[in-house]
Amino acid sequence: MKYPAFIEAHRAVVERGLERLLPGEDVPPASIHRAMRYSVLGAGKRIRPALCLEAAGLFAGSFMGRDDSPQLTDEAPEPLVTELLTEGPVVMAQFSAEEIEDGYFDGADPERPRMADIVPVACALEFIHCYSLIHDDLPALDNDDLRRGRPTCHKVFGEAHAILAGDALLTLAFQTLAQARLTAKRSVRVLAEIATAAGTVEGMVGGQVADLEAENKPVDAAALEYIHRSKTAALICVSVVAGAIVGGGTDDDVERMRRYGQNVGWAFQVVDDILDVEQSSEALGKTAGKDAAQKKATYPALYGIEESRRIASQLVGKAMIEADHYGDRSLGLRQLAEYLVTREA
Ligand code: GRG
């Protein structure tokens, strides 16, 4: 299945947001900004930002790229919208003391953020994802030469710059989140959720550690589940959770999105394991067949390809039940879930 057509609209806005939120490559020290931009502005699928925007749209009532998208088509652009959607100057969101005090911007309804205010949150998730890819490719971890169809960051800029570019993207993510135009309450909640998902306790770094330590060892189903849910699903899950929070979902909505996200995130890594076996490096834009070569803990290794496919479909089925709660309004999240299990790269 191709990337769902209307999600392409999210992707276009996210690309522009990433471009503008990253320091320019002439900004000193230019070498680190070149490395950051090289890694972020490559051919990523932008799945995490798309999930975030789609979840936010579900609750904020704005659906970019579709006929019912009043906030982006009908309303006069505000400064950040202008920065993100037109050829304006590259600036981070700037706030007066009053705006920070209010936790919002310009008298707009704090309960109904514009999608353009949510784009920085979506971009922050992509910054964290890109940091994890840069570090994952380093010689001390996966030692890979190919990422998104191009030489990896350390191959082009050297190891020191790759380590620092990863660090800088993680830091930029939290700067971006802290400067996003959200109510103070939503802002703090989202910061805590994303920091936790990127961290060590059932988060991305913890999953990566467990993955490393499982190499060359027999791994049971529970250990494999822990690795996949922490290493990959946590960031995917928090993408929809953050979207639900900033979009104004209730606590029940946020928890429903968490269940949706846990299931699609887990399914995403199961499919990633399958693609590593079945696809070529050219199709994936990264080195295929590495899991078996490195004796990694994967679903195909433990269950075989067919059973892995069944597990992925079952997980997506569970996510669909959560999305179905919102009827037609969750069409985007349902299409994204379907894409994640049927994708070929
Ligand atoms: C602090 C040393 C240190 C490491 C950070 C490296 C790391 C922790 C975590 C790695 C987590 C990781 C790379 C998980 C794999 C997740 C995955 C399937 C990535 C591929 O995602 P896609 O397909 O990639 O969305 P694109 O390129 O489309 O964005």
Side-chain angles (χ1 to χ4, degrees):
M1 182 182 172
K2 222 173 105 20
Y3 207 59
F6 73 89
I7 300 293
E8 288 292 345
H10 290 329
R11 205 145 72 142
V13 175
V14 167
E15 293 300 331
R16 199 131 349 137
L18 294 170
E19 161 73 36
R20 284 170 196 285
L21 290 164
L22 283 161
E25 46 184 37
D26 295 332
V27 174
S31 56
I32 190 70
H33 297 140
R34 277 201 294 274
M36 291 161 73
R37 294 178 70 89
Y38 174 85
S39 290
V40 174
L41 301 176
K45 293 185 285 296
R46 315 302 189 207
I47 283 165
R48 294 150 192 83
L51 284 164
C52 176
L53 293 179
E54 199 54 33
L58 180 58
F59 302 108
S62 172
F63 297 83
M64 273 192 291
R66 285 187 252 158
D67 290 338
D68 58 350
S69 59
Q71 296 193 25
L72 277 184
T73 53
D74 296 337
E75 294 185 18
E78 289 200 28
L80 183 62
V81 184
T82 311
E83 286 154 26
L84 289 169
L85 302 181
T86 71
E87 295 304 312
V90 180
V91 278
M92 295 288 291
Q94 299 292 328
F95 298 89
S96 69
E98 216 170 47
E99 286 158 3
I100 290 169
E101 182 80 6
D102 288 351
Y104 202 64
F105 179 74
D106 217 19
D109 177 0
E111 300 304 324
R112 283 180 62 86
R114 287 174 171 77
M115 286 298 273
D117 298 337
I118 295 166
V119 169
V121 178
C123 290
L125 291 156
E126 184 69 14
F127 289 150
I128 295 175
H129 170 57
C130 292
Y131 125 74
S132 83
L133 298 180
I134 295 172
H135 280 192
D136 192 45
D137 290 334
L138 285 167
L141 290 162
D142 258 10
N143 191 19
D144 219 318
D145 295 351
L146 188 66
R147 173 66 67 183
R148 294 176 165 172
R150 299 200 291 183
T152 45
C153 188
H154 67 273
K155 283 282 158 193
V156 179
F157 298 94
E159 267 184 63
H161 276 74
I163 292 168
L164 293 169
D167 295 341
L169 286 171
L170 180 61
T171 309
L172 180 62
F174 286 100
Q175 181 187 351
T176 304
L177 287 169
Q179 290 182 309
R181 282 176 196 138
L182 306 169
T183 65
K185 201 172 159 194
R186 286 180 193 173
S187 176
V188 169
R189 209 168 152 199
V190 160
L191 280 160
E193 286 278 0
I194 294 178
T196 304
T200 52
V201 180
E202 297 183 14
M204 187 175 72
V205 174
Q208 179 73 1
V209 172
D211 192 23
L212 262 180
E213 292 174 356
E215 277 179 26
N216 292 309
K217 287 194 193 125
V219 166
D220 62 16
L224 188 57
E225 176 181 333
Y226 175 86
I227 292 170
H228 282 45
R229 292 183 71 151
S230 310
K231 180 180 81 166
T232 305
L235 191 62
I236 289 179
C237 177
V238 85
S239 301
V240 282
V241 166
I245 292 170
V246 300
T250 64
D251 286 353
D252 280 352
D253 292 325
V254 170
E255 290 319 308
R256 194 170 290 109
M257 284 296 100
R258 198 185 303 281
R259 293 192 294 276
Y260 165 93
Q262 282 166 344
N263 283 306
V264 291
W266 185 359
F268 182 86
Q269 185 60 56
V270 176
V271 171
D272 206 72
D273 290 354
I274 296 171
L275 294 176
D276 185 74
V277 176
E278 293 196 327
Q279 293 286 3
S280 65
S281 300
E282 196 186 5
L284 295 179
K286 62 182 180 182
T287 313
K290 281 204 81 175
D291 293 342
Q294 292 181 329
K295 297 201 168 50
K296 288 248 183 200
T298 67
Y299 273 76
L302 191 64
Y303 294 99
I305 293 280
E306 281 321 305
E307 179 61 8
S308 300
R309 256 193 240 293
R310 199 194 58 76
I311 292 169
S313 298
Q314 197 177 42
L315 290 168
V316 166
K318 286 186 184 170
M320 293 293 190
I321 293 170
E322 304 298 342
D324 279 348
H325 181 82
Y326 302 101
D328 288 350
R329 290 194 300 140
S330 66
L331 178 68
L333 287 178
R334 282 181 281 127
Q335 286 194 352
L336 264 165
E338 195 190 332
Y339 163 73
L340 295 183
V341 275
T342 51
R343 70 197 171 100
E344 288 169 2

